[in-house]
Amino acid sequence: MKHNFGAGPCILPQTVFKQASDAVLDFNGLSLLEVSHRSPDFVEVMEEAQSLVKKALNVPAGYSVLFLQGGASLGFTITALNMMRDSKKAGYINTGTWAKGAIAEAKAVGIDVNVFASSEDQNFNYIPKNFTAPSDVDFIHYTSNNTIFGTQFKSIVEANVPLVCDMSSDIFSQKIDVSKFDIIYAGAQKNLGPAGATLYIVKDEILGKSSSEFMPKYLNLKNHADKGSMMNTPPVFSVYTSMLNLRNLIANGGIDAAAERNKAKADLLYNEIDVNPLFKSAVAGEDRSLMNVTFLLNDDAHKDAFDTMWNEAGVIGLKGHRSVGGYRASMYNALTIESVQVLTDIMKELANKM
Ligand SMILES: *Cc1c(COP(=O)(O)O)cnc(C)c1O
């Protein structure tokens, strides 16, 4: 048995893997991979996936749910282009690699970027606080959870201009007040489904209002919203499997129950990191991510022993990102608390041996 702590693509429930593979072989007589995306059967899948997103996150009226391609990486460009207004200025919070990526792409499309808060001075090991968001900008962008560094915003950024958020690595892990945002976007492969689809939850009000002269058809969210996310061929496998995963999420108590499970998993692991003399957290206490837990050995002399133990126990994907080092345990929705227990047992056992 494997325990997949990988940062993405994410672990999904075994029943979702099974149902998805069944549909590859037989989706109403054809393979899911060969059916026309215009067929009523697939249109129904797209509509169900969109409505399950709305149900799971309690999305208010006046928002469209889109499944596009290009990953969150293209989302950096798409959000900047679609939110650009007359001032062509935007405020960005820099909390790490992905935020930096978003900043770079906003600049690339001609936005004057004001990085009004950053944690770069301490290698992104905390969430900036006590900042005032600028109000002379078209929009504000931040990254809710920093997949690489293991920090997470614990409340929504206060701003009196439209708010855009990259929620790639914590969407569907906890309740969010969608009404506070103009665009939420997320690559599917961190907590929703297979790579290939990128989820956008877009306030309809913002559509078609960009001031950008450069606006390729695919990058204009209005075109996708007008066509129900079917302007061109959608990523059918990813949408279908995401739909299965959302059905599973809702059948298991929805977001509230998932958030409770995620909290229990995070408490179990952070508690072990805090009490175990061999380990330390890589992140300031109050900013710790519930999804991606970054931690370090106090003494690298224990590295070989620890690595051997978790590898032998079937733990996968625990190596930290090269920019942080140490370890990163990503605990997306489908990771069970039993898997976390396997990891904390190994940490205890290692400490007992010393
Ligand atoms: C992984 C990740 C990205 C990049 O996503 P792609 O879909 O691979 O482009 C962007 N933002 C965050 C927060 C991520 O975790």
Side-chain angles (χ1 to χ4, degrees):
M1 158 129 198
K2 301 292 184 198
H3 307 282
N4 185 2
F5 288 86
C10 60
I11 178 176
L12 294 170
Q14 289 299 320
T15 55
V16 170
F17 286 141
K18 173 73 171 63
Q19 291 168 325
S21 58
D22 286 349
V24 169
L25 295 175
D26 180 10
F27 177 74
N28 301 336
L30 291 175
S31 166
L32 171 68
L33 305 184
E34 64 179 327
V35 296
S36 165
H37 60 288
R38 306 277 174 211
S39 67
D41 286 349
F42 187 77
V43 171
E44 212 172 276
V45 168
M46 177 60 90
E47 287 173 355
E48 183 178 345
Q50 291 168 327
S51 82
L52 291 176
V53 169
K54 290 186 175 175
K55 186 170 179 192
L57 294 177
N58 212 355
V59 177
Y63 283 79
S64 294
V65 171
L66 310 172
F67 287 94
L68 308 185
Q69 305 197 48
S73 296
L74 187 61
F76 302 158
T77 309
I78 288 181
T79 51
L81 277 179
N82 283 267
M83 295 309 296
M84 189 193 290
R85 300 290 181 266
D86 288 341
S87 90
K88 292 192 163 49
K89 285 196 246 173
Y92 276 68
I93 302 181
N94 182 11
T95 48
T97 311
W98 300 118
K100 277 185 166 176
I103 291 165
E105 297 309 308
K107 288 180 176 166
V109 299
I111 289 183
D112 178 2
V113 175
N114 171 1
V115 181
F116 62 92
S118 169
S119 49
E120 191 160 22
D121 59 338
Q122 289 181 45
N123 199 30
F124 304 111
N125 69 1
Y126 69 102
I127 291 287
K129 292 166 202 83
N130 303 323
F131 51 75
T132 309
S135 49
D136 64 337
V137 293
D138 295 333
F139 66 96
I140 279 166
H141 178 285
Y142 74 105
T143 313
S144 56
N145 181 67
N146 304 292
T147 326
I148 290 177
F149 295 93
T151 62
Q152 184 175 31
F153 280 87
K154 300 296 160 151
S155 57
I156 294 175
V157 169
E158 306 254 351
N160 53 14
V161 296
L163 203 52
V164 176
C165 192
D166 172 3
M167 294 194 188
S168 290
S169 54
D170 66 355
I171 194 157
F172 300 111
S173 70
Q174 60 186 9
K175 225 186 196 138
I176 42 173
D177 182 356
V178 174
S179 73
K180 294 270 203 295
F181 298 93
D182 284 47
I183 305 180
I184 292 168
Y185 66 107
Q189 75 279 8
K190 296 282 169 54
N191 206 21
L192 175 58
T198 315
L199 175 68
Y200 290 77
I201 304 173
V202 188
K203 198 186 253 180
D204 292 331
E205 241 170 55
I206 67 105
L207 296 168
K209 303 233 173 92
S210 175
S211 65
S212 176
E213 279 154 34
F214 171 76
M215 186 57 96
K217 184 176 172 190
Y218 190 88
L219 304 187
N220 190 343
L221 291 173
K222 182 167 195 316
N223 295 329
H224 294 289
D226 285 349
K227 293 284 160 63
S229 208
M230 297 279 241
M231 183 186 88
N232 69 331
T233 317
V236 290
F237 182 75
S238 182
V239 172
Y240 182 76
T241 308
S242 297
M243 178 204 75
L244 295 174
N245 193 36
L246 288 165
R247 277 186 189 164
N248 186 278
L249 174 78
I250 289 168
N252 286 289
I255 289 281
D256 289 339
E260 255 175 58
R261 292 190 293 268
N262 290 329
K263 177 84 171 50
K265 289 184 282 177
D267 283 349
L268 179 61
L269 182 51
Y270 280 119
N271 184 53
E272 182 60 32
I273 292 167
D274 288 341
V275 302
N276 191 309
L278 302 186
F279 295 94
K280 64 176 179 224
S281 172
V283 165
E286 73 273 21
D287 301 330
R288 290 168 165 183
S289 168
L290 301 191
M291 289 283 101
N292 311 96
V293 178
T294 49
F295 61 104
L296 306 160
L297 275 165
N298 286 315
D299 180 351
D300 273 338
H302 304 312
K303 183 175 182 309
D304 289 348
F306 183 51
D307 291 356
T308 303
M309 285 167 79
W310 59 261
N311 274 299
E312 280 176 356
V315 167
I316 306 284
L318 200 65
K319 197 172 173 298
H321 190 270
R322 61 190 176 282
S323 52
V324 185
Y327 301 94
R328 171 174 53 169
S330 298
M331 307 194 295
Y332 297 119
N333 282 357
L335 187 87
T336 63
I337 197 158
E338 287 76 22
S339 289
V340 183
Q341 190 75 55
V342 167
L343 177 59
T344 55
D345 285 350
I346 292 167
M347 294 163 75
K348 275 199 186 80
E349 195 187 324
L350 184 67
N352 288 339
K353 278 190 190 166
M354 296 303 146

